[in-house]
Amino acid sequence: MSKAEQFRTLHQGRAPGDPLVLPGPWDAAAARVLAEAGFPALATPSAGVAASLGYADGATPADEMFAAVARIARAVDVPVSADVEGGYGLAPEELVERLLEAGAVGCNLEDSDGGVLKDAHAHAEFLAGVRRAAADRLFVNARIDVFVHGDGDPEQAIERAALYRAAGADCVYPILAPAELVPLLRSGIEGPLNLLARLDGDGPSPAALGELGATRVTFGPGLQRRTAAALREIAAGLLP
């Protein structure tokens, strides 16, 4: 079974309370730690990778992002999905080619640009192009930014999810959806649902998100930021 097939299988038949938990490595060293801890797959966070490379979130050049993903994928034996933001303006065929060259088996693609939601139908066409180019070689996770860059209307999130799923997205990701809206989203969205878990204790645990309907749980740049905070504390203790 290929890594892409392994990754796809991990999303199937998840029981309530048992979502696929995908921590986000920002470099090869972090990826090895997480793989050695026993996680069956990993999902890079674009913001965490950006921080590791010295860029603000959303400012990483495409070449550097793909190179970082390649280093991470090369460092571990488990499947790696890559957050490639909005696709860097690449045509679907080139985007897919670069993801596969980097060793990724999946990708996150955002439906906003510069803090503004994209036209949902145009984005669905883009996702359809990615699906055609990738066939079954990539697991496409379509991020829905209604709760971060839109008005927070759950019905709009559900409508976008339906368009993206019809276009061939394997999973949808209404990032920052409030926990109290998750049951409504789950009831209106067909197929795998990705939800964000926070590491500061302010929000449901991964298991609780699974009970609410999450198929998989990711953490965005949470692990990288928590690690940076720990390093700051250690560094402060080293000063005379």
Side-chain angles (χ1 to χ4, degrees):
M1 182 183 294
S2 70
K3 284 186 178 179
E5 291 171 327
Q6 292 175 34
F7 191 62
R8 192 175 299 279
T9 299
L10 286 170
H11 293 77
Q12 298 170 356
R14 308 301 307 193
D18 181 34
L20 174 61
V21 177
L22 296 174
W26 54 95
D27 62 17
R32 284 178 173 161
V33 168
L34 295 169
E36 289 167 2
F39 290 97
L42 306 173
T44 69
S46 61
V49 173
S52 76
L53 297 174
Y55 293 103
D57 184 17
T60 309
D63 288 348
E64 293 197 45
M65 183 63 76
F66 287 114
V69 170
R71 289 191 292 272
I72 289 168
R74 187 170 59 244
V76 295
D77 291 329
V78 300
V80 173
S81 182
D83 182 346
V84 288
E85 303 177 315
Y88 307 110
L90 300 174
E93 296 79 6
E94 183 178 358
L95 176 61
V96 168
E97 180 181 358
R98 298 200 67 174
L99 282 163
L100 294 175
E101 285 178 349
V105 301
C107 63
N108 272 22
L109 288 167
E110 303 170 3
D111 70 346
S112 65
D113 183 21
V116 178
L117 288 175
K118 297 177 181 178
D119 177 82
H121 292 276
H123 188 59
E125 290 181 9
F126 175 71
L127 292 173
V130 172
R131 170 54 65 220
R132 285 192 298 271
D136 290 332
R137 296 177 294 172
L138 288 175
F139 187 96
V140 178
N141 188 36
R143 203 178 94 172
I144 298 171
D145 287 355
V146 166
F147 298 102
V148 60
H149 295 310
D151 61 6
D153 179 4
E155 293 300 333
Q156 184 183 175
I158 291 170
E159 290 170 5
R160 284 176 173 257
L163 285 171
Y164 303 161
R165 285 282 291 159
D170 297 285
C171 183
V172 294
Y173 177 21
I175 189 170
L176 294 183
E180 62 270 19
L181 292 181
V182 171
L184 173 61
L185 295 172
R186 177 69 284 175
S187 67
I189 292 175
E190 176 190 356
L193 179 65
N194 187 160
L195 294 176
L196 177 74
R198 301 182 61 168
L199 294 171
D200 56 8
D202 186 15
S205 67
L209 288 173
E211 291 285 357
L212 290 172
T215 308
R216 74 184 221 178
V217 173
T218 51
F219 304 89
L223 282 169
Q224 183 272 327
R225 290 174 180 172
R226 186 163 177 174
T227 301
L231 182 57
R232 281 193 291 271
E233 183 177 344
I234 293 170
L238 298 177
L239 292 172

